[in-house]
Amino acid sequence: MKETDTQNGKGKVAAKSNAAEGLKELFIDELKDIIYAERALLKALPKMANNATEPKLISAIEQHVSVTEGQVKRLEQVFEILGESNRGKKCDAMEGLIKEAESILEETEAGAVRDAGIISASQKIEHYEIASYGTLIAFAKTLGENEIASLLESTLAEEKEADALLTDSAYNSINFQASEEDSE
Ligand SMILES: [Fe+2]
Ligand SMILES: [Fe+2]
């Protein structure tokens, strides 16, 4: 393949020398991605909580910190079952989602509008996690790793619950208050 094929953005991509060869390797790669993402999120969540004002939102975020700690431990368990190192691999998507969340803080005044922005950013993060765990569970099942699949299913259920909690706090009061601020 010619080098220009990849440079113009349309061509076929040449694999790196350490590219995943089978589903198992891809599975491990994606596990490294999600453990990196969860650890990055753990560092970012306290800032989100500190910048939120609605008590329900603050407690939803704080609750998700401890849930996320448990998810990291669960992933460490998964790596142990696989006999692999639990070192993460930089997750560009989560880095980008966190950056976006931080820029929402800069672009809003503290209060209902910023809260609505925090919910929006958090839901994008939850949906990334939901998509990632959904795929990982499918991979685990295909690979016959049933114990791992059930560990990941527990995490997926927690992510869906977090998403529902965020939706709830948005619909119940925050978006409403934020729209009130428009008319002030
Ligand atoms: Fe998570
Ligand atoms: Fe989450």
Side-chain angles (χ1 to χ4, degrees):
M1 197 192 52
K2 278 178 280 167
E3 187 136 19
T4 50
D5 283 351
T6 55
Q7 282 169 351
N8 66 18
K10 289 184 283 191
K12 290 186 179 160
V13 175
K16 290 188 198 166
S17 60
N18 63 350
E21 276 172 12
L23 187 63
K24 178 92 178 261
E25 269 188 60
L26 182 62
F27 179 56
I28 292 166
D29 265 8
E30 300 223 348
L31 284 166
K32 288 181 176 295
D33 175 285
I34 196 72
I35 198 169
Y36 178 100
E38 295 285 14
R39 286 171 176 153
L41 189 57
L42 259 187
K43 287 188 215 147
L45 284 172
K47 188 172 177 184
M48 294 296 131
N50 282 335
N51 282 283
T53 43
E54 163 73 32
K56 258 172 102 181
L57 176 59
I58 298 172
S59 79
I61 299 170
E62 282 171 348
Q63 199 184 313
H64 205 51
V65 173
S66 57
V67 169
T68 302
E69 281 167 351
Q71 294 175 345
V72 170
K73 290 215 180 83
R74 220 176 261 139
L75 284 169
E76 286 169 355
Q77 222 178 313
V78 167
F79 282 105
E80 223 175 278
I81 295 169
L82 291 167
E84 295 282 335
S85 141
N86 64 36
R87 251 190 73 193
K89 193 166 149 188
K90 188 174 174 222
C91 169
D92 291 322
M94 184 58 84
E95 292 278 333
L97 288 165
I98 290 171
K99 254 188 221 154
E100 206 172 283
E102 283 172 347
S103 67
I104 284 174
L105 298 180
E106 287 163 16
E107 285 156 16
T108 51
E109 303 243 11
V113 176
R114 183 178 285 174
D115 283 357
I118 291 172
I119 292 176
S120 148
S122 305
Q123 284 194 295
K124 288 176 189 173
I125 289 171
E126 290 315 314
H127 282 252
Y128 177 74
E129 291 182 306
I130 289 168
S132 301
Y133 283 107
T135 300
L136 284 167
I137 291 163
F139 283 2
K141 285 183 178 164
T142 304
L143 293 164
E145 298 283 0
N146 296 328
E147 190 187 353
I148 293 175
S150 79
L151 283 166
L152 298 173
E153 266 160 0
S154 309
T155 295
L156 179 61
E158 290 171 352
E159 306 295 14
K160 286 184 176 167
E161 202 189 313
D163 182 51
L165 255 171
L166 288 163
T167 303
D168 227 48
S169 47
Y171 283 127
N172 288 342
S173 55
I174 293 168
N175 283 352
F176 180 70
Q177 280 174 33
S179 73
E180 295 273 281
E181 285 189 13
D182 282 335
S183 48
E184 273 166 24

